[in-house]
Amino acid sequence: LQLKLVDQSSGINAEYGVGDKAKAILVKTVGDAYLCTFNNVGKKQSSFTDALNIAEEILAHDFDSADVVFNNYINVVSYKPTIKPVPSATNIESNDAVYTYDEVDSEVVRCFQEFSLANIIHHALKEQEASEQSARMNAMENATRNAGEMIDKLQLQYNRTRQAVITRELIEIISGANALD
């Protein structure tokens, strides 16, 4: 899971990562634009609280646009890299639907933005978990199939070797009997 932030006014592009593998890749690819990693998020099943903590950390920085990049689970054998945009405060304020039910101040917009970002992150984390479990299941299935094939080959080799030993012993017994005659 990767989050990309862009601030047009300062010209800053920043990136966040969730997990150690994301950190290793992002440090190599983006260098100084890499801000931080959220470790121990994928170690156990993620919760909305994890997503909310990540969202709070991200919203501590101002940004014009943001994208969440994650693997979208399609089926057991495939997943699709997906980029999901995160609404900025200005986008939320410019949407007329926000003002339908009540007056909206900056605190409400900030809360809505935080909830929206946490929702997107939680969805991305769950999609990542589904993709990861699918990949693990495929790996275990392949390992089981390979182990079965290896057992079959070794069983065949064992049977051939045993048959060769029996045949050689029979030849020795028959040769010995013929020598006595």
Side-chain angles (χ1 to χ4, degrees):
L1 178 68
Q2 175 184 358
L3 294 109
K4 296 180 176 186
L5 305 177
V6 177
D7 185 6
Q8 300 291 342
S9 60
S10 63
I12 294 176
N13 293 336
E15 303 207 19
Y16 287 87
V18 176
D20 293 326
K21 289 184 181 180
K23 178 182 178 181
I25 293 169
L26 290 175
V27 166
K28 286 181 183 178
T29 57
V30 298
D32 293 338
Y34 179 72
L35 291 179
C36 74
T37 298
F38 300 97
N39 292 332
N40 297 325
V41 173
K43 304 269 185 204
K44 56 183 172 71
Q45 191 172 10
S46 63
S47 65
F48 191 75
T49 306
D50 294 334
L52 193 59
N53 291 336
I54 295 169
E56 287 174 353
E57 174 65 31
I58 290 168
L59 289 176
H61 304 280
D62 290 329
F63 59 90
D64 293 327
S65 66
D67 294 319
V68 178
V69 182
F70 60 96
N71 288 326
N72 190 18
Y73 176 78
I74 295 174
N75 58 35
V76 177
V77 293
S78 67
Y79 53 89
K80 178 179 150 189
T82 304
I83 299 173
K84 190 157 190 162
V86 176
S88 66
T90 54
N91 289 351
I92 294 169
E93 289 173 349
S94 66
N95 190 343
D96 292 334
V98 174
Y99 300 99
T100 303
Y101 298 107
D102 201 5
E103 289 298 317
V104 177
D105 61 355
S106 63
E107 183 61 30
V108 172
V109 170
R110 186 74 171 171
C111 287
F112 182 76
Q113 184 184 21
E114 182 178 347
F115 180 75
S116 177
L117 179 58
N119 241 353
I120 291 169
I121 292 172
H122 187 252
H123 175 254
L125 288 171
K126 291 302 179 183
E127 289 287 336
Q128 282 288 119
E129 287 174 4
S131 297
E132 181 182 353
Q133 291 302 327
S134 172
R136 286 183 183 188
M137 193 170 73
N138 279 339
M140 290 303 294
E141 185 177 317
N142 290 338
T144 301
R145 184 175 46 252
N146 290 342
E149 290 173 5
M150 185 181 295
I151 288 171
D152 291 344
K153 286 179 184 176
L154 290 173
Q155 185 71 40
L156 184 63
Q157 182 182 359
Y158 170 77
N159 287 341
R160 285 181 179 164
T161 304
R162 189 183 68 165
Q163 188 63 42
V165 168
I166 291 171
T167 303
R168 189 180 36 158
E169 288 178 357
L170 284 174
I171 289 173
E172 288 175 0
I173 291 171
I174 293 171
S175 296
N178 285 342
L180 292 175
D181 288 339

